[in-house]
Amino acid sequence: MRILHTADWHFGRQLEGKDRRAEQAAFVDELARIADEREVDLVLIAGDVYDSVNPPAWAEELFYEALERLSAEGRRAVVVIAGNHDQPERVRAAAPLATKHGIVLLGLPKEAPLLSAGEVTPDRVRIVQGGPSWLELAVPGCKHNAVVLALPYPSESRLKELLSESFTQEQMQLAFSERITQLFDELSGHFREDTVNLVTSHLFVMGGMETDSERPIQIGGALTVSPQAFPKNADYVALGHLHRLQKLSDKPLVRYSGSPLSYSFSEAGQSKAVVLVEVEPGAEVQEEIIYLTSGRPLARWRATEGISQVEKWLAEGRDAGSWIDLELHVSDVIDPAEFQRVRKLSDDFLKIQRVVVRENNQEEDGEQRVELTELTSDQLFRRFYERKRGAEPDERLVAMFQRLLAETGGEEEVE
């Protein structure tokens, strides 16, 4: 059985105010093509299909389009679980319709899937049996069925369990990890020697590497799970939550697929991928990382030589096709008109941070010290006004400047 693992789509999310709809749609095209070309039998989507509990209508439409294309009219199985960014009821809402096409949608931990009903045909996916947080799938063309332990984001509220009222964070972390371990231990009783045994969940495992784009989720802290929480007899564990592609264990094989697009400049330089595994009962799992090309790369520029260096890099075609976070070093305040000219040099600039570099004439240890000061737009305006007029601007003038800056697409504030 060939399984394709993906997660953390975050449909509806923007980057520094830039709509990513075209890139997200291109990802759906690429994913559907991979599933067809590699003859995938089962797709696991490990949570956070949306970026918020109330996604825009186009994001929901794109998600359903993805499900329809991936299911191949019921010949390929698809299992989706909700992540912490998803509203569980919204993810599961279409389950009565989706089940007829071999698509399993689960919103809450301990939720049972709907079983296939009606006439059974050998050319369509069938949900053979299932219960709270588990199911067995029969997939056309596969000699063995798949048993999937599916645990959507298991917060205390979604588990509907109060683990503690008075624990410290360390005690709470231990209690949470022990509870998840217990859950998987109980569920692993459904695994058999003649089935492909899979786990999918959306949680944070100790040792996982984070990025800034997992905001504003609860990373680490109390809701952290030990790498030993997963059943030893699982063939593959498909995780979502962290946006960096990474492997946490070989036996069982535990992986985060990462997000398909970079959603923070902290991910600049990272390659995005999906994971393809081939599993047969009693045999060693074969895995392949398939790198994606649909999302635009992110790049960070640090122009220590000023605007001329930026113009040079653009002329050279540096990081062509990337979204750019520009750190522009200047020796003094930039005239607002000149700053707007810099912004218009490229549509790829999503964020421009001005850094004023001042030389301190005092020497320390025989070396000249360079002081870097980051100023907001209103601070820069106040300095500029004082130099030109010899007096501080009043608050009404500063407010007017800020309104004008906003109307002309002014600078993004540093987060």
Side-chain angles (χ1 to χ4, degrees), residues 4 36 38 40 49 56 64 121 128 143 172 181 187 202 251 259 283 285 288 309 311 324 328 340-341 379 415:
L4 190 63
D36 290 339
R38 306 308 291 270
V40 169
V49 293
Y64 291 128
T121 59
V128 179
K143 294 186 297 182
M172 178 63 188
T181 302
L187 290 168
H202 191 92
K251 291 188 180 296
S259 59
V285 177
E288 180 183 353
Q309 188 174 33
E311 293 173 323
I324 298 170
L328 180 62
Q340 290 303 316
R341 186 183 74 81
Q379 290 172 326
E415 293 183 352

Side-chain angles (χ1 to χ4, degrees), residues 51-348:
D51 191 53
S52 70
V53 296
N54 188 28
W58 68 260
E60 291 189 277
E61 183 178 353
L62 184 58
F63 173 53
Y64 291 128
E65 177 191 342
L67 294 183
E68 191 275 332
R69 295 175 65 179
L70 290 172
S71 70
E73 299 182 340
R75 296 186 299 276
R76 180 185 298 122
V78 182
V79 176
V80 184
I81 61 171
N84 58 295
H85 281 258
D86 301 313
Q87 184 184 54
E89 294 78 12
R90 186 184 294 273
V91 169
R92 191 183 184 278
L97 177 62
T99 301
K100 298 178 181 180
H101 299 278
I103 302 169
V104 178
L105 303 175
L106 295 175
L108 289 168
K110 305 179 185 178
E111 196 168 76
L114 299 178
L115 303 183
S116 298
E119 183 181 356
V120 177
T121 59
D123 63 338
R124 295 181 69 84
V125 173
R126 184 162 56 95
I127 305 166
V128 179
Q129 60 176 333
S133 294
W134 78 276
L135 61 138
E136 181 177 348
L137 291 165
V139 182
C142 294
K143 294 186 297 182
H144 306 278
N145 287 356
V147 172
V148 184
L149 311 185
L151 188 68
Y153 181 63
S155 64
E156 277 188 286
S157 60
R158 294 189 186 186
L159 278 170
K160 294 182 171 57
E161 294 183 20
L162 182 62
L163 300 180
S164 169
E165 293 181 332
S166 59
F167 279 176
T168 65
Q169 178 167 304
E170 290 76 14
Q171 292 171 324
M172 178 63 188
Q173 178 179 310
L174 181 61
F176 180 76
S177 183
E178 288 178 345
R179 181 66 185 109
I180 299 302
T181 302
Q182 179 188 14
L183 273 174
F184 280 129
D185 185 56
E186 294 168 357
L187 290 168
S188 67
H190 298 289
F191 285 161
R192 303 195 305 269
E193 291 184 358
D194 66 333
T195 55
V196 171
N197 299 321
L198 307 170
V199 176
T200 184
S201 190
H202 191 92
L203 39 71
F204 181 75
V205 180
M206 280 184 281
M209 298 177 65
E210 309 163 31
T211 70
D212 291 346
S213 66
E214 286 106 11
R215 67 90 193 111
I217 63 180
Q218 187 168 0
I219 285 291
L223 302 187
T224 303
V225 173
S226 165
Q228 283 72 49
F230 306 106
K232 299 296 184 291
N233 55 342
D235 293 307
Y236 183 69
V237 179
L239 298 178
H241 205 19
L242 299 185
H243 292 184
R244 183 192 297 267
L245 171 71
Q246 52 195 298
K247 179 165 67 174
L248 301 183
S249 170
D250 286 308
K251 291 188 180 296
L253 180 54
V254 180
R255 267 203 178 276
Y256 284 101
S257 66
S259 59
L261 273 63
S262 296
Y263 287 114
S264 162
F265 279 103
S266 67
E267 299 173 52
Q270 288 185 21
S271 296
K272 295 300 181 178
V274 292
V275 183
L276 180 67
V277 293
E278 191 164 329
V279 184
E280 185 174 351
E284 187 173 348
V285 177
Q286 304 296 316
E287 69 167 330
E288 180 183 353
I289 306 302
I290 302 176
Y291 290 98
L292 302 170
T293 60
S294 47
R296 293 180 62 172
L298 304 186
R300 277 178 161 157
W301 286 7
R302 189 167 180 263
T304 58
E305 300 174 17
I307 297 173
S308 62
Q309 188 174 33
V310 175
E311 293 173 323
K312 177 186 175 184
W313 286 341
L314 290 172
E316 293 172 347
R318 178 178 180 177
D319 294 316
S322 300
W323 296 121
I324 298 170
D325 174 9
L326 173 62
E327 181 182 295
L328 180 62
H329 289 216
V330 293
S331 58
D332 209 335
V333 177
I334 303 178
D335 183 277
E338 179 69 356
F339 182 74
Q340 290 303 316
R341 186 183 74 81
V342 173
R343 291 193 66 88
K344 293 176 181 178
L345 288 176
S346 175
D347 293 333
D348 297 337

Side-chain angles (χ1 to χ4, degrees), residues 38-55:
R38 306 308 291 270
E39 298 181 341
V40 169
D41 301 302
L42 165 61
V43 180
L44 297 177
I45 305 173
D48 279 356
V49 293
Y50 301 123
D51 191 53
S52 70
V53 296
N54 188 28

